[in-house]
Amino acid sequence: MDAADIMFSLAQAYANCKSYCDRGIVRHFGDGDSESYRHRVAFKTIFERPDKMYFEWMESPVKTNEEQEASHRVSAFWCDGKTTQRQFYSQSDPVISQSLEHAITASAGLSKGASVTVAAYMLPTLRNQMRTLLRLQDVRRLDDAVVDGVECYMLKGQTWNKATEDLYVDKSNNCLKRMRVEIVIPPGVNEAQYEALKKADPVSAEEY
C-alpha cells in the first residue's frame, strides 16, 4: 500500500463506522528535543452514528501557591442526537451549543486539537468545513513502526501552515494510533522591527 491507499483506508474506517470510542493524551512540547512538556490534556470520545457524541478532556491542575490543593480541570460537550450541550470546567452549569460541529470546533484550542482530529473524519459536515485545515501535502510512506505494541503504517506530510505531521495508522483497523505535529514558529519580529527595538530597548531585543 502506498501513502494514498493508507490515507483513503483511514478516512473510510472513520466515515463508515457505526460507533466509535477512544481515549488518549495530548502532550505539547516546547522544544523538539525536550522531554518535558508544557501542557498535557487527557481525552476520551464516545460516538454513535449519526450524531450522538460525548467528548471530555481533562487539563492539569493550576496551583496559585505550593500549599494549595488543586484539582484537574474537566470540560466536556455532548449531543443526544438533537441537542448539543457543553460545559467548561469554569462553568457551574452546561449551556446549549448551536450545533455539534460548533461545539467540536469551539473546543479544539482548549483540547489541543483532540476534539476535532478524529471527529472531522466521522462527520462529513465537519470535514467539509475544515477541508483546507486538514489537508496534508506531500504525504509519503515511511518505514512501519510499532506504537504501544501495535504495528502501524507511518506517514509523513505537511500541513497548510507548513507544519510537519507524522501519522501512525494501526494496520489492524486503519485507525489513527498516534499523531505527531512539529510546528516551527517564526520570530515575533522581523529584521526591521528588531533593529528598531535594539535602539529603543537592547535588553528586550536580545530576548527576541
Side-chain angles (χ1 to χ4, degrees):
M1 295 177 69
D2 62 16
D5 293 330
I6 296 169
M7 287 295 294
F8 179 78
S9 297
L10 182 149
Q12 288 294 99
Y14 288 117
N16 295 328
C17 70
K18 294 182 179 180
S19 61
Y20 175 81
C21 64
D22 70 10
R23 63 177 62 240
I25 297 173
V26 179
R27 291 185 177 92
H28 175 204
F29 294 87
D31 299 306
D33 297 329
S34 174
E35 291 298 322
S36 60
Y37 49 82
R38 292 184 177 181
H39 305 288
R40 179 183 184 277
V41 175
F43 65 89
K44 65 179 178 181
T45 310
I46 302 172
F47 174 77
E48 182 180 328
R49 201 167 294 284
D51 53 6
K52 291 182 178 180
M53 186 174 184
Y54 176 85
F55 181 84
E56 176 185 290
W57 71 98
M58 181 173 64
E59 301 170 76
S60 301
V62 174
K63 293 185 178 181
T64 56
N65 60 64
E66 291 299 322
E67 297 180 358
Q68 182 185 24
E69 289 291 330
S71 58
H72 285 80
R73 296 167 289 165
V74 180
S75 304
F77 62 79
W78 56 93
C79 179
D80 60 6
K82 296 180 180 180
T83 303
T84 301
Q85 300 183 69
R86 60 179 174 82
Q87 185 171 7
F88 296 146
Y89 70 89
S90 58
Q91 298 173 319
S92 57
D93 297 299
V95 297
I96 302 296
S97 183
Q98 63 189 53
S99 68
L100 176 58
E101 289 83 355
H102 181 267
I104 292 171
T105 54
S107 305
L110 293 172
S111 66
K112 305 304 178 190
S115 68
V116 74
T117 299
V118 169
Y121 288 106
M122 294 190 295
L123 298 171
T125 52
L126 184 61
R127 179 71 180 179
N128 290 334
Q129 290 176 26
M130 305 191 68
R131 188 176 300 277
T132 300
L133 294 178
L134 294 170
R135 183 181 294 129
L136 285 178
Q137 302 174 344
D138 303 322
V139 183
R140 62 188 187 277
R141 180 178 176 180
L142 303 183
D143 292 339
D144 295 347
V146 176
V147 179
D148 297 333
V150 175
E151 292 189 6
C152 296
Y153 303 112
M154 183 179 176
L155 306 176
K156 182 180 285 291
Q158 194 175 70
T159 65
W160 65 277
N161 61 348
K162 308 303 181 184
T164 299
E165 188 165 306
D166 296 338
L167 302 178
Y168 298 82
V169 182
D170 189 333
K171 286 186 174 184
S172 67
N173 56 22
N174 294 313
C175 289
L176 194 59
K177 182 66 176 175
R178 176 181 292 175
M179 185 171 75
R180 178 184 174 89
V181 182
E182 183 175 341
I183 303 173
V184 178
I185 301 175
V189 294
N190 59 33
E191 284 299 319
Q193 292 170 324
Y194 175 67
E195 291 300 324
L197 185 59
K198 272 205 305 187
K199 293 179 181 179
D201 189 347
V203 175
S204 295
E206 286 306 312
E207 291 179 359
Y208 281 98

